[in-house]
mmCIF file of all heavy atoms in Angstrom:
data_model
loop_
_atom_site.group_PDB
_atom_site.id
_atom_site.type_symbol
_atom_site.label_atom_id
_atom_site.label_comp_id
_atom_site.label_asym_id
_atom_site.label_seq_id
_atom_site.Cartn_x
_atom_site.Cartn_y
_atom_site.Cartn_z
ATOM 1 N N GLY A 523 -5.578 -0.728 5.340
ATOM 2 C CA GLY A 523 -4.860 -1.917 4.885
ATOM 3 C C GLY A 523 -5.500 -3.217 5.268
ATOM 4 O O GLY A 523 -5.273 -4.228 4.617
ATOM 5 N N GLU A 524 -6.256 -3.227 6.336
ATOM 6 C CA GLU A 524 -6.941 -4.412 6.821
ATOM 7 C C GLU A 524 -8.120 -4.004 7.629
ATOM 8 O O GLU A 524 -8.153 -2.895 8.112
ATOM 9 C CB GLU A 524 -6.034 -5.135 7.826
ATOM 10 C CG GLU A 524 -4.895 -5.928 7.287
ATOM 11 C CD GLU A 524 -4.130 -6.516 8.490
ATOM 12 O OE1 GLU A 524 -4.510 -7.559 8.978
ATOM 13 O OE2 GLU A 524 -3.194 -5.836 8.943
ATOM 14 N N PRO A 525 -9.028 -4.964 7.877
ATOM 15 C CA PRO A 525 -10.074 -4.605 8.799
ATOM 16 C C PRO A 525 -9.467 -4.364 10.173
ATOM 17 O O PRO A 525 -8.501 -5.059 10.515
ATOM 18 C CB PRO A 525 -10.952 -5.837 8.846
ATOM 19 C CG PRO A 525 -10.630 -6.630 7.604
ATOM 20 C CD PRO A 525 -9.222 -6.285 7.314
ATOM 21 N N ILE A 526 -9.957 -3.382 10.910
ATOM 22 C CA ILE A 526 -9.433 -3.169 12.273
ATOM 23 C C ILE A 526 -10.470 -3.724 13.251
ATOM 24 O O ILE A 526 -11.619 -3.408 13.149
ATOM 25 C CB ILE A 526 -9.105 -1.672 12.519
ATOM 26 C CG1 ILE A 526 -8.608 -1.428 13.945
ATOM 27 C CG2 ILE A 526 -10.251 -0.730 12.183
ATOM 28 C CD1 ILE A 526 -7.973 -0.095 14.207
ATOM 29 N N GLU A 527 -9.996 -4.601 14.123
ATOM 30 C CA GLU A 527 -10.915 -5.213 15.056
ATOM 31 C C GLU A 527 -11.468 -4.162 15.979
ATOM 32 O O GLU A 527 -10.759 -3.262 16.423
ATOM 33 C CB GLU A 527 -10.151 -6.232 15.934
ATOM 34 C CG GLU A 527 -9.549 -7.409 15.173
ATOM 35 C CD GLU A 527 -8.220 -7.087 14.508
ATOM 36 O OE1 GLU A 527 -7.811 -5.902 14.530
ATOM 37 O OE2 GLU A 527 -7.575 -8.027 13.965
ATOM 38 N N PRO A 528 -12.759 -4.263 16.365
ATOM 39 C CA PRO A 528 -13.385 -3.193 17.186
ATOM 40 C C PRO A 528 -12.632 -2.965 18.462
ATOM 41 O O PRO A 528 -12.484 -1.778 18.882
ATOM 42 C CB PRO A 528 -14.773 -3.778 17.472
ATOM 43 C CG PRO A 528 -15.076 -4.583 16.262
ATOM 44 C CD PRO A 528 -13.766 -5.231 15.844
ATOM 45 N N GLU A 529 -12.084 -4.003 19.053
ATOM 46 C CA GLU A 529 -11.370 -3.724 20.330
ATOM 47 C C GLU A 529 -10.064 -3.024 20.109
ATOM 48 O O GLU A 529 -9.627 -2.265 20.950
ATOM 49 C CB GLU A 529 -11.241 -4.985 21.240
ATOM 50 C CG GLU A 529 -10.178 -5.958 20.812
ATOM 51 C CD GLU A 529 -10.746 -6.984 19.836
ATOM 52 O OE1 GLU A 529 -11.842 -6.738 19.253
ATOM 53 O OE2 GLU A 529 -10.121 -8.047 19.616
ATOM 54 N N VAL A 530 -9.448 -3.264 18.960
ATOM 55 C CA VAL A 530 -8.219 -2.554 18.646
ATOM 56 C C VAL A 530 -8.558 -1.072 18.299
ATOM 57 O O VAL A 530 -7.862 -0.142 18.756
ATOM 58 C CB VAL A 530 -7.451 -3.205 17.448
ATOM 59 C CG1 VAL A 530 -6.214 -2.422 17.027
ATOM 60 C CG2 VAL A 530 -7.069 -4.659 17.823
ATOM 61 N N TRP A 531 -9.673 -0.908 17.613
ATOM 62 C CA TRP A 531 -10.159 0.436 17.305
ATOM 63 C C TRP A 531 -10.348 1.271 18.659
ATOM 64 O O TRP A 531 -9.865 2.362 18.756
ATOM 65 C CB TRP A 531 -11.491 0.316 16.574
ATOM 66 C CG TRP A 531 -12.042 1.544 15.884
ATOM 67 C CD1 TRP A 531 -12.068 1.752 14.538
ATOM 68 C CD2 TRP A 531 -12.750 2.636 16.482
ATOM 69 N NE1 TRP A 531 -12.707 2.963 14.282
ATOM 70 C CE2 TRP A 531 -13.152 3.499 15.452
ATOM 71 C CE3 TRP A 531 -13.098 2.991 17.810
ATOM 72 C CZ2 TRP A 531 -13.842 4.714 15.656
ATOM 73 C CZ3 TRP A 531 -13.768 4.205 18.013
ATOM 74 C CH2 TRP A 531 -14.135 5.018 16.948
ATOM 75 N N ARG A 532 -10.972 0.574 19.611
ATOM 76 C CA ARG A 532 -11.246 1.296 20.839
ATOM 77 C C ARG A 532 -9.993 1.611 21.612
ATOM 78 O O ARG A 532 -9.873 2.693 22.213
ATOM 79 C CB ARG A 532 -12.217 0.457 21.697
ATOM 80 C CG ARG A 532 -13.578 0.410 21.116
ATOM 81 C CD ARG A 532 -14.652 0.013 22.120
ATOM 82 N NE ARG A 532 -15.882 -0.218 21.359
ATOM 83 C CZ ARG A 532 -16.203 -1.399 20.825
ATOM 84 N NH1 ARG A 532 -15.479 -2.461 21.075
ATOM 85 N NH2 ARG A 532 -17.280 -1.527 20.110
ATOM 86 N N TRP A 533 -9.000 0.736 21.557
ATOM 87 C CA TRP A 533 -7.747 1.022 22.243
ATOM 88 C C TRP A 533 -7.062 2.234 21.570
ATOM 89 O O TRP A 533 -6.585 3.149 22.265
ATOM 90 C CB TRP A 533 -6.844 -0.209 22.174
ATOM 91 C CG TRP A 533 -5.495 0.091 22.792
ATOM 92 C CD1 TRP A 533 -5.202 0.118 24.150
ATOM 93 C CD2 TRP A 533 -4.292 0.492 22.112
ATOM 94 N NE1 TRP A 533 -3.864 0.484 24.349
ATOM 95 C CE2 TRP A 533 -3.313 0.728 23.082
ATOM 96 C CE3 TRP A 533 -3.980 0.659 20.776
ATOM 97 C CZ2 TRP A 533 -2.027 1.178 22.764
ATOM 98 C CZ3 TRP A 533 -2.688 1.058 20.445
ATOM 99 C CH2 TRP A 533 -1.702 1.317 21.416
ATOM 100 N N TYR A 534 -7.044 2.218 20.229
ATOM 101 C CA TYR A 534 -6.449 3.306 19.479
ATOM 102 C C TYR A 534 -7.151 4.619 19.856
ATOM 103 O O TYR A 534 -6.526 5.614 20.109
ATOM 104 C CB TYR A 534 -6.709 2.953 17.986
ATOM 105 C CG TYR A 534 -5.873 3.665 16.918
ATOM 106 C CD1 TYR A 534 -4.590 4.138 17.114
ATOM 107 C CD2 TYR A 534 -6.436 3.858 15.642
ATOM 108 C CE1 TYR A 534 -3.884 4.748 16.111
ATOM 109 C CE2 TYR A 534 -5.698 4.451 14.616
ATOM 110 C CZ TYR A 534 -4.444 4.890 14.822
ATOM 111 O OH TYR A 534 -3.743 5.472 13.836
ATOM 112 N N HIS A 535 -8.453 4.535 19.935
ATOM 113 C CA HIS A 535 -9.220 5.707 20.207
ATOM 114 C C HIS A 535 -8.961 6.280 21.655
ATOM 115 O O HIS A 535 -8.733 7.455 21.788
ATOM 116 C CB HIS A 535 -10.739 5.367 20.108
ATOM 117 C CG HIS A 535 -11.677 6.517 20.162
ATOM 118 N ND1 HIS A 535 -12.528 6.721 21.217
ATOM 119 C CD2 HIS A 535 -11.916 7.508 19.310
ATOM 120 C CE1 HIS A 535 -13.242 7.791 20.997
ATOM 121 N NE2 HIS A 535 -12.877 8.313 19.845
ATOM 122 N N GLU A 536 -8.908 5.401 22.582
ATOM 123 C CA GLU A 536 -8.742 5.785 23.976
ATOM 124 C C GLU A 536 -7.286 6.027 24.297
ATOM 125 O O GLU A 536 -6.914 7.117 24.740
ATOM 126 C CB GLU A 536 -9.314 4.726 24.931
ATOM 127 C CG GLU A 536 -10.791 4.529 24.864
ATOM 128 C CD GLU A 536 -11.575 5.851 24.930
ATOM 129 O OE1 GLU A 536 -11.266 6.662 25.793
ATOM 130 O OE2 GLU A 536 -12.488 6.070 24.070
#
Side-chain angles (χ1 to χ4, degrees):
E524 281 177 86
I526 178 167
E527 298 81 352
E529 75 270 18
V530 176
W531 193 105
R532 290 199 191 90
W533 176 80
Y534 197 30
H535 189 250
E536 295 309 314

